[in-house]
Amino acid sequence: MSLRYAVLTLLDIEPGSGYDLKRRFERSVSHFWSASHQQMYRELHKLHQEGLLDCVEQPQEGKPDKKLYSLTDKGCAELRHWVTQPTAPQKIREPFLVRMFAGHHLDRDDLRSALNSQLQLHREVLRHYQEQNEKVLNSDAALQKRYWLAHRTLLLGIEAEKTWITWLENLSEELE
């Protein structure tokens, strides 16, 4: 996958400015895909140049004009085509796992500390995902229906964090 399709997907949900898009990205896709602010804006410009996005400038008082992006018919067609293509499972790229693979170099206290730190991080992510889930469950029924698949990605994230937490807790118990 590329940032291209994340941008198209987010603008398919709702047109918006680069700032709007970045905020939406941070609240959703960033949990499983990363991109910097600069990468996002470069991709917006590129997609616009390719005719996949429309851009309308809205004047703002005392600020530069706001550029609002939306999908063109060509952009919708490309997104539909991409969604139909098979996706190979990705390998996990997790630095902590590499550290644990070399964990025999750690003494007991350092290992305990590393496990506890990682456990706290995953508990925080889980808490954040659960808060997002509550917002979804308390949102308008029509909105829930439209984005039920997007919600399922959040539920997968919750399960993944629970798995991490269980794994880390088990390692900690084995260490003791």
Side-chain angles (χ1 to χ4, degrees):
M1 189 187 101
S2 70
L3 179 57
R4 167 186 204 88
Y5 297 106
V7 170
L8 290 174
T9 299
L10 290 171
L11 289 174
D12 182 50
I13 292 170
E14 182 180 359
S17 67
Y19 176 77
D20 297 332
L21 185 65
K22 184 65 176 157
R23 286 189 61 217
R24 269 186 243 151
F25 188 92
E26 289 168 353
R27 290 190 318 255
S28 60
V29 179
S30 72
H31 300 298
F32 48 86
W33 196 259
S34 63
S36 70
H37 188 75
Q38 293 86 355
Q39 289 173 312
M40 185 88 57
Y41 276 96
R42 276 196 305 269
E43 196 63 42
L44 278 171
H45 294 295
K46 183 177 172 187
L47 292 167
H48 182 248
Q49 289 172 342
E50 292 177 29
L52 302 175
L53 300 180
D54 276 330
C55 180
V56 176
E57 292 191 19
Q58 275 187 344
Q60 299 186 106
E61 192 131 343
K63 298 179 187 176
D65 291 347
K66 184 177 190 177
K67 294 180 179 181
L68 293 176
Y69 295 93
S70 61
L71 290 183
T72 62
D73 290 342
K74 184 178 175 183
C76 286
E78 176 151 340
L79 183 57
R80 272 192 301 278
H81 174 74
W82 174 74
V83 169
T84 65
Q85 302 306 304
T87 304
Q90 296 292 302
K91 295 194 185 299
I92 297 173
R93 292 180 53 131
E94 176 56 57
F96 181 75
L97 293 179
V98 177
R99 287 188 176 128
M100 289 299 96
F101 201 74
H104 60 279
H105 291 284
L106 296 173
D107 65 32
R108 192 179 200 84
D109 289 337
D110 288 339
L111 181 55
R112 185 179 297 112
S113 177
L115 292 172
N116 285 336
S117 294
Q118 198 68 18
L119 186 56
Q120 289 311 112
L121 290 171
H122 283 283
R123 285 178 176 156
E124 181 61 26
V125 171
L126 176 60
R127 185 192 60 72
H128 175 70
Y129 286 0
Q130 289 171 329
E131 286 173 0
Q132 287 185 312
N133 189 45
E134 282 301 311
K135 289 178 185 175
V136 170
L137 295 175
N138 292 321
S139 69
D140 177 69
L143 199 62
Q144 286 183 41
K145 184 176 179 181
R146 179 171 179 187
Y147 299 116
W148 72 273
L149 276 174
H151 182 225
R152 293 311 175 271
T153 65
L154 174 60
L155 295 177
L156 177 61
I158 289 171
E159 292 307 313
E161 291 307 316
K162 287 178 179 178
T163 299
W164 269 104
I165 290 167
T166 299
W167 183 75
L168 289 161
E169 288 173 343
N170 289 341
L171 277 177
S172 294
E173 285 176 22
E174 289 176 35
L175 180 64
E176 299 309 319

